Amino acid sequence: MTEVTLRYLNNDDAQNNGRLFMTNGAIINSHVGLRGAENLDEGLKAEFQIESNFDPQDGALSDSGRFFGSAANVGLSGEFGTVTLGRQDTPLFDKLVTTYDPLTYANYPENSWLPWALEAGLAADNSIRYTGQFGRLFVGAMYSFGSNYEIGGAGGFSGQVPGHFAAGSLANLLVSYSAGPLNVAAGVQQVRDNSNNRQTVFNVDLMYELRRVKLYAGWLHSQDNTGLVDMLLAEQQIPDISRLKDTNRIDDGPFAGFAWRIAAPLLLSTAFYYDHMRNAATGNGTLGSGSRSTLVELAEYELSKRTEIYCTVDFNRVTGAASVELPGRGNQTGVAIGMRSFF
């Protein structure tokens, strides 16, 4: 799938200059990969998936240059469900994309910050994942022995430390239930750094489908002593992550929205994301409270089953400690037009 946009952002640096640029898609990162399955005996299947994200505007690999940064896993499936091993998405990310996020999952960092930061990137290395569908009930569980090999050292998340079996780990559990037009989900996730500091996240999600409209609502609650949330969200200078341990940063992030199928080829989506934070890092090295809110409007028009064009407008506003999450003024507006093609 390839998706590219022409985008304008105001207040895009410390001098509050605007920027017009070409970038990856508004909704899902452009990606290419292979997926396969082999039928075995007794109803079993062997499965594999390898997938790379890339930037179509220049052909470069995304994900810090990882060749298979999006997915690289192998597993077995059957009546019991599916078990996979390798690099893969968390069950929460899968359900956000398929069911619970008003934008499917926003790709611009200005719009995807809430789940991306509070759920520690939404994917993990060195992981074992189980998913099972039992009638209306979906169950997903995941454990990583080291969630991110790129960040090592005592404050990192590479895990697999001799004598410290839980260091750098990630554990996730999600349950989702559908009853006609109503879908609800709840989950919990815990990430540990290599020194066993923890980030714990709880999430609740809801989607209700009418004839042409889908309504969305959800909430994320994070308590972080690893410094990871501060590091992921900051666009201005803050203390090094090693100085952000045991600060007990707390984030409460509700979100809501709707997707309206106005006509067969035309879909209009609105999403609102909010975060109230406490004990968050500021630019002067202290901790403080603040808030961030984002409003996104997205219009998509299908040219065919495989190709669509779209336009999007988004607005961010930050106050208090959240001011470091934008590069300049306390607000930022983005406008983009783009095209998406599936292959």
Side-chain angles (χ1 to χ4, degrees):
M1 190 277 290
T2 302
E3 183 179 343
V4 65
T5 62
L6 185 64
R7 180 158 169 81
Y8 173 78
L9 275 176
N10 72 351
N11 302 330
D12 195 45
D13 60 15
Q15 289 73 45
N16 299 307
N17 293 308
R19 179 166 64 112
L20 179 65
F21 58 104
M22 185 173 288
T23 188
N24 218 316
I27 304 302
I28 296 178
N29 209 323
S30 298
H31 56 273
V32 61
L34 294 172
R35 179 181 298 169
E38 179 187 7
N39 289 321
L40 306 173
D41 293 334
E42 305 297 331
L44 287 176
K45 284 186 178 180
E47 302 181 358
F48 77 91
Q49 181 184 11
I50 52 174
E51 189 174 286
S52 292
N53 292 330
F54 65 93
D55 295 326
Q57 69 273 17
D58 56 18
L61 288 173
S62 304
D63 302 315
S64 304
R66 298 189 191 205
F67 191 68
F68 292 120
S70 180
N73 56 76
V74 64
L76 290 172
S77 65
E79 292 184 358
F80 59 87
T82 302
V83 177
T84 48
L85 299 88
R87 175 166 175 81
Q88 50 201 320
D89 298 330
T90 66
L92 172 62
F93 180 74
D94 283 345
K95 280 299 177 182
L96 281 175
V97 169
T98 60
T99 308
Y100 293 110
D101 193 315
L103 296 179
T104 305
Y105 178 70
N107 192 44
Y108 299 147
E110 296 82 19
N111 301 340
S112 64
W113 55 270
L114 180 62
W116 183 68
L118 298 191
E119 290 293 334
L122 298 171
D125 304 335
N126 311 302
S127 64
I128 301 174
R129 189 179 76 166
Y130 169 79
T131 58
Q133 187 73 49
F134 306 98
R136 299 176 181 271
L137 180 68
F138 169 88
V139 178
M142 183 169 173
Y143 185 84
S144 166
F145 298 93
S147 60
N148 191 337
Y149 83 90
E150 294 175 324
I151 309 177
F157 299 85
S158 55
Q160 306 181 109
V161 179
H164 300 277
F165 298 112
S169 65
L170 176 150
N172 178 267
L173 174 66
L174 179 82
V175 177
S176 178
Y177 184 80
S178 62
L182 178 65
N183 290 264
V184 293
V188 59
Q189 175 171 293
Q190 186 173 93
V191 178
R192 300 183 185 223
D193 66 15
N194 292 342
S195 298
N196 274 318
N197 298 299
R198 305 176 188 182
Q199 180 207 17
T200 304
V201 179
F202 299 92
N203 69 282
V204 178
D205 306 291
L206 178 147
M207 188 275 287
Y208 189 84
E209 185 172 2
L210 303 172
R211 192 168 68 91
R212 289 193 176 186
V213 178
K214 293 181 179 180
L215 305 176
Y216 302 88
W219 172 70
L220 290 163
H221 172 82
S222 168
Q223 183 171 352
D224 182 29
N225 282 296
T226 70
L228 184 61
V229 176
D230 286 307
M231 182 186 70
L232 289 175
L233 287 178
E235 292 194 35
Q236 297 181 24
Q237 189 72 29
I238 63 170
D240 182 83
I241 189 172
S242 63
R243 296 170 54 198
L244 295 173
K245 306 296 182 180
D246 297 315
T247 59
N248 196 39
R249 172 170 173 150
I250 296 175
D251 293 78
D252 283 292
F255 64 92
F258 69 87
W260 177 22
R261 179 66 66 178
I262 298 175
L266 180 61
L267 180 67
L268 178 65
S269 301
T270 297
F272 177 73
Y273 305 97
Y274 180 80
D275 180 23
H276 175 67
M277 63 204 69
R278 290 164 281 169
N279 304 324
T282 65
N284 60 16
T286 62
L287 302 177
S289 299
S291 66
R292 177 172 179 169
S293 54
T294 300
L295 179 65
V296 185
E297 296 286 347
L298 170 68
E300 303 169 77
Y301 189 86
E302 297 175 350
L303 301 176
S304 69
K305 292 183 178 180
R306 293 175 46 200
T307 302
E308 71 171 40
I309 55 175
Y310 60 84
C311 62
T312 180
V313 179
D314 53 276
F315 175 77
N316 271 262
R317 183 175 182 270
V318 293
T319 64
S323 298
V324 298
E325 296 179 12
L326 293 181
R329 287 195 182 103
N331 63 81
Q332 188 176 59
T333 301
V335 181
I337 56 174
M339 183 174 179
R340 179 187 303 122
S341 181
F342 294 90
F343 53 84

